[in-house]
Coordinates of all heavy atoms in Angstrom, one line a residue:
R135 N 129.6 80.6 143.1 CA 129.8 80.0 141.8 C 130.3 78.6 141.9 O 131.2 78.3 142.7 CB 130.7 80.9 140.9 CG 130.2 82.2 140.6 CD 131.2 82.9 139.7 NE 130.6 84.3 139.4 CZ 131.3 85.2 138.7 NH1 132.5 84.9 138.3 NH2 130.8 86.3 138.5
P136 N 129.7 77.7 141.1 CA 130.1 76.3 141.2 C 131.6 76.1 141.0 O 132.2 75.3 141.7 CB 129.3 75.6 140.2 CG 128.1 76.4 140.0 CD 128.6 77.9 140.2
A137 N 132.2 76.8 140.1 CA 133.6 76.5 139.8 C 134.5 77.0 141.0 O 135.5 76.3 141.3 CB 134.0 77.3 138.5
I138 N 134.2 78.1 141.6 CA 134.9 78.6 142.7 C 134.8 77.7 143.9 O 135.7 77.4 144.6 CB 134.5 80.1 143.0 CG1 134.7 81.0 141.8 CG2 135.3 80.6 144.3 CD1 136.2 81.1 141.4
A139 N 133.5 77.3 144.2 CA 133.3 76.4 145.3 C 134.0 75.0 145.1 O 134.6 74.5 146.1 CB 131.8 76.2 145.5
F140 N 134.0 74.5 143.9 CA 134.6 73.2 143.7 C 136.1 73.4 143.8 O 136.8 72.5 144.4 CB 134.2 72.7 142.3 CG 134.8 71.4 141.9 CD1 134.3 70.3 142.6 CD2 135.8 71.2 141.0 CE1 134.7 69.0 142.3 CE2 136.3 70.0 140.7 CZ 135.7 68.9 141.3
A141 N 136.7 74.4 143.3 CA 138.1 74.7 143.4 C 138.5 74.8 144.9 O 139.6 74.3 145.3 CB 138.6 75.9 142.6
T142 N 137.7 75.5 145.7 CA 138.0 75.7 147.1 C 138.0 74.4 147.9 O 138.9 74.1 148.7 CB 137.0 76.7 147.7 OG1 137.0 77.9 147.0 CG2 137.3 77.0 149.2
I143 N 137.0 73.5 147.6 CA 136.9 72.2 148.2 C 138.1 71.4 147.9 O 138.7 70.7 148.7 CB 135.6 71.5 147.8 CG1 134.4 72.3 148.5 CG2 135.6 70.1 148.2 CD1 133.1 71.8 148.0
L144 N 138.5 71.4 146.6 CA 139.7 70.6 146.2 C 141.0 71.2 146.8 O 141.8 70.4 147.2 CB 139.9 70.7 144.6 CG 138.9 69.9 143.8 CD1 139.2 70.0 142.4 CD2 139.0 68.4 144.2
L145 N 141.1 72.5 147.0 CA 142.3 73.0 147.7 C 142.3 72.6 149.2 O 143.4 72.2 149.7 CB 142.2 74.6 147.6 CG 143.4 75.3 148.3 CD1 144.7 75.0 147.5 CD2 143.1 76.8 148.3
V146 N 141.2 72.6 149.8 CA 141.2 72.1 151.2 C 141.5 70.7 151.3 O 142.3 70.3 152.2 CB 139.8 72.4 151.9 CG1 139.6 71.7 153.2 CG2 139.5 73.9 152.0
I147 N 141.0 69.9 150.5 CA 141.3 68.4 150.5 C 142.8 68.2 150.2 O 143.5 67.4 150.8 CB 140.5 67.7 149.4 CG1 139.0 67.6 149.9 CG2 141.0 66.2 149.2 CD1 138.0 67.1 148.9
F148 N 143.4 69.0 149.2 CA 144.8 68.8 148.9 C 145.7 69.2 150.1 O 146.6 68.5 150.4 CB 145.1 69.7 147.7 CG 146.6 69.8 147.4 CD1 147.2 68.7 146.8 CD2 147.4 70.9 147.7 CE1 148.6 68.7 146.5 CE2 148.7 70.9 147.4 CZ 149.3 69.8 146.8
I149 N 145.3 70.3 150.8 CA 146.1 70.7 152.0 C 146.0 69.7 153.1 O 147.0 69.4 153.7 CB 145.6 72.1 152.5 CG1 146.0 73.2 151.5 CG2 146.1 72.4 153.8 CD1 145.4 74.5 151.8
N150 N 144.8 69.1 153.3 CA 144.7 68.0 154.3 C 145.5 66.8 154.0 O 146.2 66.2 154.8 CB 143.2 67.6 154.5 CG 142.4 68.7 155.2 OD1 143.0 69.4 156.0 ND2 141.1 68.7 155.0
V151 N 145.5 66.4 152.7 CA 146.3 65.2 152.3 C 147.8 65.5 152.5 O 148.5 64.7 152.9 CB 145.9 64.8 150.8 CG1 146.9 63.8 150.3 CG2 144.5 64.3 150.8
F152 N 148.2 66.7 152.1 CA 149.6 67.1 152.2 C 150.0 67.1 153.7 O 151.1 66.6 154.0 CB 149.8 68.5 151.6 CG 151.2 69.0 151.7 CD1 152.2 68.5 150.9 CD2 151.5 70.0 152.6 CE1 153.5 68.9 150.9 CE2 152.8 70.4 152.7 CZ 153.8 69.9 151.8
A153 N 149.2 67.6 154.6 CA 149.5 67.6 156.0 C 149.6 66.2 156.6 O 150.4 65.9 157.4 CB 148.4 68.4 156.8
I154 N 148.7 65.3 156.1 CA 148.7 63.9 156.6 C 150.0 63.2 156.2 O 150.6 62.5 157.0 CB 147.5 63.2 156.1 CG1 146.2 63.7 156.9 CG2 147.6 61.7 156.3 CD1 144.9 63.2 156.3
Y155 N 150.4 63.4 154.9 CA 151.6 62.8 154.5 C 152.9 63.4 155.1 O 153.8 62.7 155.3 CB 151.7 62.8 152.9 CG 150.9 61.8 152.3 CD1 149.9 62.1 151.4 CD2 151.1 60.4 152.5 CE1 149.1 61.2 150.8 CE2 150.3 59.4 151.9 CZ 149.3 59.8 151.0 OH 148.6 58.9 150.4
Q156 N 152.8 64.6 155.4 CA 154.0 65.2 156.1 C 154.1 64.7 157.5 O 155.2 64.4 158.0 CB 153.8 66.8 156.2 CG 154.1 67.4 154.9 CD 155.5 67.4 154.5 OE1 156.3 66.4 154.7 NE2 156.0 68.5 153.9
K157 N 153.0 64.5 158.2 CA 153.0 63.9 159.5 C 153.4 62.5 159.5 O 154.2 62.1 160.4 CB 151.6 64.1 160.1 CG 151.5 63.5 161.6 CD 150.9 64.6 162.4 CE 150.8 64.0 163.8 NZ 151.5 64.8 164.8
A158 N 153.1 61.7 158.5 CA 153.4 60.3 158.4 C 154.9 60.2 158.2 O 155.5 59.2 158.6 CB 152.6 59.6 157.4
D159 N 155.5 61.1 157.5 CA 157.0 61.0 157.2 C 157.9 61.3 158.4 O 159.0 60.9 158.4 CB 157.3 62.0 156.0 CG 156.7 61.5 154.7 OD1 156.4 60.3 154.6 OD2 156.7 62.3 153.8
T160 N 157.4 62.1 159.3 CA 158.2 62.4 160.5 C 158.0 61.4 161.6 O 157.0 61.5 162.3 CB 157.9 63.8 161.0 OG1 156.5 64.0 161.0 CG2 158.5 64.9 160.1
N161 N 158.9 60.4 161.7 CA 158.8 59.4 162.7 C 159.8 59.8 163.8 O 160.9 60.3 163.5 CB 159.1 58.0 162.1 CG 158.0 57.6 161.2 OD1 156.9 58.0 161.3 ND2 158.4 56.8 160.2
I162 N 159.5 59.4 165.0 CA 160.4 59.6 166.1 C 161.5 58.5 166.1 O 161.2 57.3 166.1 CB 159.7 59.6 167.5 CG1 158.7 60.7 167.5 CG2 160.7 59.7 168.6 CD1 157.8 60.7 168.8
S163 N 162.8 59.0 166.0 CA 163.9 58.0 165.9 C 164.1 57.4 167.3 O 163.6 57.9 168.3 CB 165.1 58.6 165.4 OG 165.6 59.6 166.2
S164 N 164.9 56.4 167.4 CA 165.2 55.8 168.7 C 166.0 56.7 169.6 O 165.7 56.7 170.9 CB 165.9 54.4 168.5 OG 167.2 54.7 167.9
S165 N 166.9 57.5 169.1 CA 167.6 58.4 170.0 C 166.7 59.5 170.6 O 166.8 59.9 171.7 CB 168.7 59.1 169.2 OG 168.2 59.9 168.2
D166 N 165.7 59.9 169.8 CA 164.8 60.9 170.3 C 163.9 60.3 171.4 O 163.6 61.0 172.4 CB 163.9 61.4 169.2 CG 164.6 62.3 168.2 OD1 165.7 62.8 168.5 OD2 164.1 62.4 167.0
S167 N 163.5 59.1 171.2 CA 162.7 58.4 172.3 C 163.4 58.3 173.6 O 162.8 58.4 174.6 CB 162.1 57.1 171.7 OG 163.2 56.2 171.5
T168 N 164.7 58.0 173.5 CA 165.5 57.8 174.8 C 165.6 59.2 175.4 O 165.6 59.3 176.7 CB 166.9 57.2 174.5 OG1 167.6 58.0 173.5 CG2 166.7 55.8 174.0
E169 N 165.8 60.2 174.7 CA 165.9 61.6 175.2 C 164.6 61.9 175.9 O 164.6 62.5 177.0 CB 166.2 62.6 174.2 CG 167.6 62.5 173.7 CD 167.9 63.5 172.6 OE1 167.1 64.4 172.4 OE2 168.9 63.3 171.9
V170 N 163.5 61.6 175.3 CA 162.2 61.9 175.9 C 162.0 61.1 177.2 O 161.5 61.6 178.2 CB 161.0 61.6 174.9 CG1 159.7 61.7 175.6 CG2 161.1 62.5 173.7
A171 N 162.5 59.8 177.2 CA 162.4 59.0 178.4 C 163.2 59.6 179.6 O 162.8 59.6 180.7 CB 162.8 57.6 178.1
A172 N 164.4 60.0 179.2 CA 165.3 60.6 180.2 C 164.7 61.9 180.8 O 164.8 62.2 182.0 CB 166.7 60.9 179.6
V173 N 164.1 62.7 180.0 CA 163.5 63.9 180.5 C 162.3 63.6 181.4 O 162.1 64.2 182.4 CB 163.0 64.8 179.3 CG1 162.2 65.9 179.8 CG2 164.2 65.3 178.5
D174 N 161.6 62.5 181.1 CA 160.5 62.1 181.9 C 160.9 61.7 183.3 O 160.2 61.8 184.3 CB 159.6 61.0 181.2 CG 158.8 61.6 180.1 OD1 158.6 62.8 180.1 OD2 158.4 60.8 179.2
E175 N 162.1 61.0 183.4 CA 162.6 60.5 184.7 C 162.9 61.7 185.6 O 162.8 61.6 186.8 CB 163.8 59.6 184.4 CG 163.5 58.3 183.8 CD 164.8 57.5 183.5 OE1 165.9 57.9 184.1 OE2 164.7 56.5 182.8
Y176 N 163.5 62.7 185.1 CA 163.9 63.9 185.9 C 162.8 64.9 186.1 O 163.1 65.9 186.8 CB 165.1 64.5 185.3 CG 166.3 63.6 185.4 CD1 166.8 63.0 184.2 CD2 166.9 63.3 186.6 CE1 167.9 62.2 184.2 CE2 168.0 62.4 186.6 CZ 168.5 61.9 185.5 OH 169.6 61.0 185.5
S177 N 161.7 64.7 185.6 CA 160.6 65.7 185.8 C 160.1 65.6 187.2 O 160.1 64.5 187.8 CB 159.5 65.5 184.8 OG 158.8 64.3 185.1
Q178 N 159.8 66.7 187.8 CA 159.4 66.8 189.2 C 158.0 67.3 189.2 O 157.5 68.1 188.4 CB 160.2 67.8 190.0 CG 161.7 67.4 190.1 CD 162.5 68.4 190.8 OE1 162.0 69.5 191.2 NE2 163.7 68.1 191.1

């Protein structure tokens, strides 16, 4: 049915936009980056 198909497409688009904005909000802070660098130095 066109109404159900249209609503499903809008829901998928909304979930994708929400996921993109959530990913953009989580930035790696400087303390996290130094911890990652320290771990990389000691990896064998």
Side-chain angles (χ1 to χ4, degrees):
R135 291 182 180 176
I138 302 299
F140 185 68
T142 304
I143 290 170
L144 285 179
L145 180 67
V146 168
I147 291 172
F148 175 74
I149 290 172
N150 285 335
V151 168
F152 181 74
I154 289 171
Y155 280 119
Q156 286 289 38
K157 180 128 177 121
D159 289 343
T160 46
N161 294 329
I162 297 176
S163 65
S164 62
S165 63
D166 291 340
S167 63
T168 57
E169 289 177 14
V170 171
V173 170
D174 284 341
E175 289 177 14
Y176 292 107
S177 65
Q178 296 178 354

